[in-house]
Amino acid sequence: MGAHAGSCAGLDAVRRDRRCGGARRGAPPPAPPIPAPRPPAVRPGQRQRGRGRAAVIALASCAALGLGTGMMAPGSPAAAASRCDHVAKDNRPELREGDRDDAVAQVQCLIDTRSGAPGELPDNGVFDAATADAVRWVQKCNTLEPSGVTDAATWKVLYRAKKGCGKKAEQAVDTG
């Protein structure tokens, strides 16, 4: 061992390990190098998977609670709110027959989805006679003056429709 050990003594650690049979006796073997993490290979047009455990948990929680789009009951107020997005909720101009605007489409959508008004209005943004009649119906149903003009009070009741308003208005129409 003396001659063999002597010839390895002058070499650096890497060469000594290669020529002289590994690391010194009693020393633990060197740890292998840790490779740097690689990003997942994603081909063009392919979606990346595995965005993290937190994202999966959040998505599963929202699905379980029914908070995702399209997961609500069609007639629920939350479903209606998500569908009426023609204008911002604070955009409430005074509208009347003959007006054409995205705000008119918002009124039509709110009447269709929240008020319980009979019939169905297209969300076309044209304030026609049918829209004016529907606005009057909503106003009467909510004890407002049935003018057919969407003023501040009418906008307020469109966004906060009363439950059972449809039955009350039908009774008023039948008796009046």
Side-chain angles (χ1 to χ4, degrees), residues 1 4-5 8-9 11-31:
M1 179 169 152
H4 188 267
C8 291
L11 299 174
D12 64 271
V14 174
R15 287 187 197 160
R16 181 176 58 237
D17 288 346
R18 286 186 190 148
R19 283 192 183 171
C20 300
R24 292 176 292 162
R25 291 181 199 213

Side-chain angles (χ1 to χ4, degrees), residues 32-73:
I34 300 172
R38 294 185 338 210
V42 179
R43 289 183 230 135
Q46 180 185 10
R47 293 178 63 189
Q48 186 174 357
R49 292 181 290 204
R51 294 187 182 210
R53 183 175 230 184
V56 171
I57 291 170
L59 182 60
S61 299
C62 288
L65 294 173
L67 298 176
T69 56
M71 297 196 144
M72 294 168 265

